[in-house]
Amino acid sequence: MVKGPTPRQGDLFAQPLGGSSATPQGLPLQEHQLRQWQERLLAFQKPRFAAVAEGRSLAAGQINLLDGAVVGPADTVQRLDPLTLAPQSLQFWRWPEASNTGAALYFVLDRPPHLPGALLLYVGETAQADRRWKGEHDCKSYLAAYGDALQQVGLGSQLSIRFWSDAPVAVRPRRALEQALIRHWLPPFNKETRGRWATPFTAELG
């Protein structure tokens, strides 16, 4: 079960919507705070990346699904490796021709040069892969604040978005799979899991 932030975490990282990457006291986030946040996420996700890359299943106690009785999502979660999907620029939706259409699951990742592994920041689903990222989107606000925070302390990032086009066309099973993936990877920019990581960049988004 996804846990909420402790009072100490909330005090340290909570920020007003649209604010800069700063603590509530008005001080900018420090490099060590950002590194620690990233390293905590990496420590959790790295064994999952290794397991899926090697075709291994995690032990039952290491995987949290929305519904353990839903075999389809559980099976897909254990074999779907986001790192094998083609990386695209976050500005893909500006291209003259859409490279992705129809139902899809998508993953936003970072591969920070200073870390020994990738970070899965967001998992989403859409019925129209060529349109979902246009306009307002919670994750886009988090990514902007995330990039700004890293830039201010001189840390690099390599952000990408990756689409899995074998997602179910029907809404209900597609969303069930999305939720299963969220509970497995605990990406910090999904609303279901932000409290788990005390995401420090912008708070109280949708």
Side-chain angles (χ1 to χ4, degrees), residues 16-179:
L17 175 62
S20 61
S21 51
T23 62
Q25 292 77 21
L27 299 174
L29 286 165
Q30 301 298 306
E31 180 180 349
H32 75 274
Q33 291 176 304
L34 292 168
R35 282 181 177 270
Q36 287 173 359
W37 184 86
Q38 289 181 320
E39 288 165 0
R40 286 177 54 228
L41 181 59
L42 179 68
F44 176 81
Q45 291 183 345
K46 192 172 183 179
R48 283 159 167 72
F49 278 119
V52 72
E54 297 167 10
R56 293 187 286 107
S57 294
L58 293 174
Q62 294 178 285
I63 182 168
N64 293 312
L65 296 177
L66 178 65
D67 182 352
V70 182
V71 176
D75 178 65
T76 301
V77 165
Q78 295 282 15
R79 63 180 172 80
L80 176 54
D81 184 355
L83 293 178
T84 64
L85 303 174
Q88 299 182 37
S89 165
L90 296 182
Q91 302 301 315
F92 74 93
W93 53 275
R94 296 180 182 273
W95 297 347
E97 296 184 8
S99 56
N100 303 281
T101 58
L105 287 165
Y106 58 95
F107 306 83
V108 178
L109 293 101
D110 188 15
R111 181 58 178 89
H114 55 278
L115 291 180
L119 304 176
L120 178 53
L121 301 176
Y122 187 85
V123 174
E125 63 82 21
T126 179
Q128 297 177 305
D130 56 331
R131 299 183 183 181
R132 179 65 181 94
W133 206 247
K134 295 180 180 180
E136 296 297 321
H137 193 294
D138 285 1
C139 185
K140 289 168 72 173
S141 299
Y142 270 87
L143 287 168
Y146 174 74
D148 180 60
L150 293 175
Q151 185 176 31
Q152 287 188 31
V153 298
L155 294 177
S157 65
Q158 297 178 26
L159 292 165
S160 65
I161 188 168
R162 304 169 188 228
F163 287 85
W164 186 67
S165 298
D166 292 329
V169 174
V171 174
R172 187 171 180 179
R174 189 174 68 247
R175 289 183 177 170
L177 179 54
E178 175 201 34
Q179 289 300 309

